[in-house]
Amino acid sequence: MEFKFNLEENKEKIQEFRDFIKENRDKQGVLMPVLQEAQVKFGYLPNEILEIISKDLNIPLSEIYGVATFYSQFTFIPKGENNISVCLGTACYVKGAEKVLAEIENVLGIKCGGTTPDLKFSITPTRCIGACGLAPVININDDTHGKLKPEDIKAIIEKYR
């Protein structure tokens, strides 16, 4: 699934971002803060923004992709309005997190790491949420749902539609 970034709708944000690049262009190691600013401002790293970074910093696109793909904090897919973090840590995994994740993927029609076409939901794998006593557990935005079974998932997701 490819998401279309609308340059016209983001004109003001893009200008603010280019101003940020201009202010920081001469600093050593500027690429990381610029990528971080882009991630914060746009929610992900659209190709169009990476091309602007390449042009404004005079850094080859291949080098920018190399850095952006190395660090897990960066994403090339926009996050949904509701981010579902699925704990895949040991306690959750042993208690059935894999089946819970499979049901979330089934209900939403996307794979882990993906975002629904309507930008309503994203699924993010996590290693530990810190609620092992509630295993298996998911967070949807700031809400924790624990002691889950696959049959619980559809009703939980409906609350966020």
Side-chain angles (χ1 to χ4, degrees):
M1 158 94 4
E2 187 165 322
F3 296 92
K4 187 71 179 141
F5 182 77
N6 189 319
L7 289 167
E8 193 58 39
E9 283 180 16
N10 288 285
K11 199 185 244 183
E12 191 174 310
K13 279 186 183 178
I14 291 169
Q15 187 54 55
E16 291 169 6
F17 179 64
R18 289 189 108 155
D19 291 343
F20 176 86
I21 292 173
K22 190 175 184 179
E23 291 168 17
N24 293 280
R25 156 179 316 151
D26 297 325
K27 294 181 181 173
Q28 191 167 0
V30 69
L31 184 55
M32 278 300 287
V34 165
L35 287 171
Q36 290 166 333
E37 179 69 13
Q39 179 90 20
V40 167
K41 190 163 285 303
F42 303 103
Y44 71 114
L45 300 176
N47 289 333
E48 295 83 353
I49 296 303
L50 296 177
E51 289 170 6
I52 288 171
I53 294 170
S54 176
K55 181 178 178 230
D56 289 3
L57 292 179
N58 196 28
I59 296 175
L61 205 49
S62 60
E63 185 177 329
I64 294 169
Y65 273 106
V67 171
T69 56
F70 180 80
Y71 294 98
S72 62
Q73 67 180 299
F74 298 120
T75 180
F76 300 101
I77 300 169
K79 291 292 182 191
E81 179 185 324
N82 298 290
N83 187 42
I84 303 173
S85 297
V86 181
C87 183
L88 299 173
T90 304
C92 288
Y93 196 84
V94 167
K95 293 200 172 191
E98 193 173 36
K99 290 178 183 168
V100 169
L101 173 57
E103 184 60 18
I104 294 168
E105 292 174 331
N106 182 51
V107 168
L108 294 177
I110 59 171
K111 291 290 182 194
C112 192
T115 298
T116 57
D118 63 0
L119 296 176
K120 195 81 172 154
F121 294 95
S122 293
I123 307 171
T124 305
T126 60
R127 293 295 154 232
C128 186
I129 288 176
C132 301
L134 297 175
V137 65
I138 64 172
N139 279 347
I140 302 181
N141 305 326
D142 296 326
D143 303 328
T144 301
H145 303 272
K147 299 191 184 231
L148 296 172
K149 296 183 236 50
E151 53 269 21
D152 300 330
I153 297 305
K154 192 170 186 178
I156 290 170
I157 288 175
E158 282 305 313
K159 294 177 188 174
Y160 295 87
R161 285 208 189 264

